[in-house]
Amino acid sequence: MELYQLTAHQLHEKLVNKEVTAREITESIYNRIEAVEEDVKAYITLTKEDALKQADKVDEKIANGEEIGPLAGIPIAIKDNMSTEGVKTTCASKILHNYKPPYDATVIKKLSAEDYIMVGKTNMDEFAMGSSNENSGFYPTANPWDLTRVPGGSSGGSAAAVAAGEAIISLGSDTGGSIRQPAAFCGVVGMKPTYGLVSRYGLVAFASSLDQIGPFSKDITDCAIALNYIAGHDEFDSTSANREVPDYTASLNKDITGMKIGVPSEYFGDGIDQEVKDAVWTAIKKLEELGAEYEEVSLPHTEYALSAYYLIAPAEASSNLARYDGVRYGLRSEEVKGLVDMYKKTRQEGFGDEVKRRIMLGTYALSSGYYDAYYKKAQKVRTLVKQDFDRAFEKYDVLISPTTPTTSFKAGAKKDPLEMYLSDICTIPINLAGIPALSMPCGLDSNGLPIGLQIMGNHFGEEKILQIAHAFEQATDFHKKRASL
């Protein structure tokens, strides 16, 4: 087995035992990138020179007998909406095509303190708006399982990089399913933590009350390890939760006997592919065999979640994206007839169609006379969605559903924006409620494409999610199946 195929915890063991060097691991990743990146297009920017220098520093520490942490010398990919000092951060948008941040995001500082190796910045839907990675301002990413299909979005590059062996772990952001949906499509593990558990400082904002950074990995153990090092309070983020972070790896390998699983009936209705339903129910039965108990539950306001989200998220986006005006940084249109013309032409040339669509939707929802009718009402619905989850978690340890209605679809198959928005119907309610959820592979469909199992937990209930997920993983071999790229 090649080094790029191993997990972070396997590589850490080899580094500690001096069976491999950090440079050898890093070179293995870049050799893999050289072999497949032309087809996958997971990255916007690669940082090979800096990565090899960092690998040598880790090797030097090991040679000197210094202790290293679980992420030292591990190649990690970063979604291109997280600020990296001196390294281009484009959000896959032409308007930020040349932007190099003067500072690191908090998650980057945390990883740097652990001597991680940044492979590069991954492709994404522009400003994290999309469900297929086809909205990138540069080029679409392909799904490593089938290059004619999409990897999901908006963190499609980060998911594809892990699935293709172009990174060991990666970071993405999740506003309405943008970690979990691509994780499901690409057959990897993806976690959206509780809102406020991971600092958003340095994450380029899409919808500030919904955005959350989380990890992609090949297995549950790596997910828990990554979460250990990116979670925690940050004084630079006013929404950061000031609470002690547990050791998430301690929740692995625990018996799940007696744990109560709720199965929300609304997530198995019309529009969910039968093969997806069957795979998820098979997974639930497997958990029952392992000692867990399940019963169906209703989350009655689920049907309104999508509508509420597509008022709240665009409204926040229209506010957040007002800063891109050609004055301070990024693209500036040159052939203009004054300041207002420069604003107009810069935004017209710099933003893609989906970003413009959401800015217009959001601006309309916030406009005078419509705020109460749309945005305020959507926020009230959001509260009802959250209350549904609150009631469910009074009785259940976790909830389980499909991550996506279908497996990965063909590139170009969903031209209608409304049809594309429905791709996130199973993931959006979780962001509205601010709770954590994880997607992991639970089977393959008749086309050999991965199916995602979504495990939801109560606020700061990541440990229970990981406990259930790890038990399922150990009892099956879906996580061992890899894209045959």
Side-chain angles (χ1 to χ4, degrees), residues 129-132 135 176 181 206 306-307 309-311 314 353-359 361 405 409 414-428:
M129 298 181 194
S131 306
S132 66
N135 292 333
Q181 189 247 25
F206 162 16
L306 194 72
S307 300
Y309 175 87
Y310 277 104
L311 284 167
D353 289 345
E354 183 60 28
V355 174
K356 289 174 185 172
R357 185 180 294 115
R358 296 202 195 189
I359 288 172
L361 270 171
F409 47 86
K414 298 197 176 186
K415 298 289 189 188
D416 178 2
L418 295 179
E419 192 182 353
M420 186 71 79
Y421 295 167
L422 289 169
S423 302
D424 298 328
I425 201 162
C426 298
T427 53
I428 274 172

Side-chain angles (χ1 to χ4, degrees), residues 124 146 216 314 354 411:
M124 56 186 280
D146 178 346
F216 289 93
E354 183 60 28

Side-chain angles (χ1 to χ4, degrees), residues 2-21:
E2 297 288 338
L3 293 176
Y4 69 79
Q5 295 173 303
L6 300 178
T7 61
H9 56 95
Q10 289 170 330
L11 290 169
H12 174 69
E13 195 177 320
K14 287 184 178 293
L15 282 169
V16 169
N17 294 333
K18 298 185 178 178
E19 295 173 37
V20 298
T21 64

